[in-house]
Amino acid sequence: MQEVYINLGARSYSIYVDTGLLPRLGEYLKVLKLTPRVLLITNPVVGSLYGAVAETALRNAGFEVIRAEIPDGEEYKSLATAEKLYDLAYTRELDRRSPVVALGGGVVGDLAGFVAATYLRGVPFIQVPTTLLAQVDSSVGGKVAVNHPRGKNIIGAFYQPRLVLADLDVLKTLDPREVRAGLAEVIKYGVIADQAFFAWLEENLERLLALEARALAHAVAVSCRIKARVVQEDETEQGRRAILNFGHTLGHALEALTGYTTYRHGEAVAIGMAAAVRLAVALGMFPEGDAARVINLIRRAGLPVEVPAGISPGELLASMRRDKKVLAGRLTFVLPVEIGRVEIVRDAPEEAVGRVLRLCCN
Ligand code: NAD
Ligand code: MG
């Protein structure tokens, strides 16, 4: 068992990483001494695989379970879905100490967290992330949100869970493409903050792709620790937290240009990370050999490293400028100076950016 303690004063909590955790959900929840009526939010895919195990675990620990299933898909991470959940919570008389449990990937987690943050101005929130991405990314940082028709994650809050259970067993039913997309963020952590972890990934990538429990436990726990360290320094994203956006400047632009349908987020980030290391080389900040190591690891994870044919450097530049994280029109890139250390580069020279984009575009 790996425990990652997220130290945020009164809002501190633990992430437990292990196999066999879901059947023990009730025991873990009981310790928090809450109202014994739980709103369990999931979707039909995850619900049919793991809903019964979760419900039994909760009932055996004395909880009454109200299960809500939201349809599968990013488009249901919306205010309209949240409103249905508020209705349910209100009719079933959930009170200020009734926990909301999110059982699912990042979509379920973000939506359930948003409902937990806002219903009665906040009720206890418990996360059981069931995708690799949700385990290594959305379980740390306290961002909860729904989408607005005009943009992703536009309406949200910072709201910390009381507990996160990352059960590695549930990853076995994931589509391999989802596993690879999650690995993109794992590789990101190595590049931005931990050279030894990056080297470990180079050694152990095949074990991760095969979902070997011990390797997964290490990768998930280290990823959460790295994100936690960054977030603890900057809980509400004023500065240093931006390093988590390594690969995301171009990644977000690519997702937007392809209508969020071509790529999983991690795949777009993989292309963005490959572009970022090339840009860092072009600016003379980062050794070519290290760039090759990064690109090679991304490739070995079965992730793309080139912008697809049909997208031009000009379109990419324009899309990057529209990103909500662009402040006053200044393009910001997170670029490595060595493996394990990055810098935030504002106003990267247009000429170099263009050169690298042309290199990445077919
Ligand atoms: P997702 O939640 O859509 O899950 C991907 C697919 O896998 C879905 O079809 C889902 O039903 C299925 N699935 C989930 N668990 C499964 C399992 N164990 N077995 C089989 N199938 C399973 O996608 P995601 O990649 O987990 O999350 C993406 C979302 O997370 C986005 O909305 C993004 O904005 C959000 N996100 C939030 C944060 C944060 O800090 N809050 C960080 C990263 C991403
Ligand atoms: Mg991301």
Side-chain angles (χ1 to χ4, degrees):
M1 161 87 80
Q2 299 254 14
E3 179 179 353
V4 182
Y5 184 68
I6 309 294
N7 192 355
L8 294 168
R11 295 180 308 289
S12 300
Y13 66 96
S14 286
I15 302 173
Y16 296 98
V17 184
D18 202 355
T19 53
L21 287 175
L22 186 60
R24 300 176 54 199
L25 172 61
E27 297 165 40
Y28 278 95
L29 210 57
K30 211 168 172 173
V31 180
L32 302 178
K33 301 212 181 332
L34 304 166
T35 307
R37 183 176 290 175
V38 181
L39 180 59
L40 176 68
I41 302 178
T42 185
N43 74 20
V45 175
V46 181
S48 68
L49 289 164
Y50 305 109
V53 183
E55 275 197 32
T56 305
L58 289 166
R59 291 220 174 86
N60 288 345
F63 289 95
E64 179 195 343
V65 183
I66 299 158
R67 197 208 284 203
E69 283 192 0
I70 59 166
D72 196 3
E74 182 75 38
E75 63 271 38
Y76 296 100
K77 201 177 106 178
S78 64
L79 274 179
T81 313
E83 213 163 329
K84 289 187 181 134
L85 295 169
Y86 297 139
D87 271 344
L88 182 67
Y90 189 79
T91 12
R92 300 300 295 271
E93 298 179 339
L94 293 176
D95 65 38
R96 281 227 164 86
R97 295 177 57 78
S98 307
V100 167
V101 176
L103 175 67
V107 167
V108 166
D110 277 13
L111 174 75
F114 180 79
V115 168
T118 46
Y119 180 67
L120 301 178
R121 295 196 187 82
V123 298
F125 176 43
I126 287 59
Q127 292 232 53
V128 186
T130 63
T131 63
L132 181 59
L133 181 99
Q135 294 189 351
V136 300
D137 197 343
S138 32
S139 58
V140 188
K143 285 188 182 179
V144 298
V146 293
N147 301 322
H148 184 274
R150 285 172 182 271
K152 276 192 68 180
N153 299 324
I154 295 283
I155 305 162
F158 287 100
Y159 194 66
Q160 305 297 338
R162 295 285 299 275
L163 165 75
V164 176
L165 293 185
D167 187 336
L168 305 167
D169 288 330
V170 304
L171 302 180
K172 289 183 190 142
T173 51
L174 267 186
D175 185 326
R177 190 174 169 192
E178 299 290 348
V179 175
R180 294 194 291 266
L183 282 174
E185 300 281 1
V186 173
I187 292 171
K188 176 190 83 176
Y189 292 124
V191 178
I192 65 170
D194 192 334
Q195 182 161 36
F197 182 51
F198 185 90
W200 182 89
L201 288 171
E202 290 180 312
E203 286 286 310
N204 292 278
L205 189 71
E206 277 67 35
R207 293 173 65 205
L208 293 174
L209 287 165
L211 300 179
E212 207 185 287
R214 285 187 52 160
L216 276 176
H218 182 71
V220 171
V222 172
S223 296
C224 289
R225 276 191 197 108
I226 291 172
K227 184 166 180 188
R229 205 169 71 217
V230 176
V231 169
Q232 275 158 18
E233 289 167 10
D234 182 14
E235 195 182 343
T236 53
E237 199 157 27
Q238 306 300 312
R240 194 65 189 157
R241 187 168 174 159
I243 71 169
L244 296 169
N245 287 331
F246 171 59
H248 285 59
T249 313
L250 188 118
H252 282 149
L254 204 52
E255 284 184 283
L257 280 176
T258 51
Y260 297 95
T261 49
T262 310
Y263 293 111
R264 298 296 300 148
H265 173 69
E267 294 167 344
V269 168
I271 297 171
M273 292 192 293
V277 298
R278 287 172 178 135
L279 179 57
V281 171
L283 295 175
M285 302 169 52
F286 189 53
E288 221 167 318
D290 285 346
R293 276 176 76 190
V294 175
I295 291 174
N296 195 24
L297 186 61
I298 298 171
R299 273 215 186 94
R300 278 175 58 207
L303 289 160
V305 293
E306 311 281 347
V307 176
I311 292 183
S312 71
E315 285 175 294
L316 276 172
L317 258 178
S319 179
M320 286 193 280
R321 288 225 171 77
R322 281 192 297 270
D323 197 276
K324 68 170 186 278
K325 286 182 175 153
V326 173
L327 292 177
R330 292 164 85 197
L331 274 187
T332 302
F333 286 92
V334 179
L335 301 178
V337 285
E338 62 184 323
I339 290 177
R341 200 158 63 85
V342 286
E343 270 172 19
I344 299 169
V345 177
R346 299 182 215 281
D347 293 324
E350 289 256 335
E351 177 275 321
V353 176
R355 189 149 39 97
V356 167
L357 289 179
R358 280 193 295 282
L359 207 77
C360 296
C361 290
N362 288 302

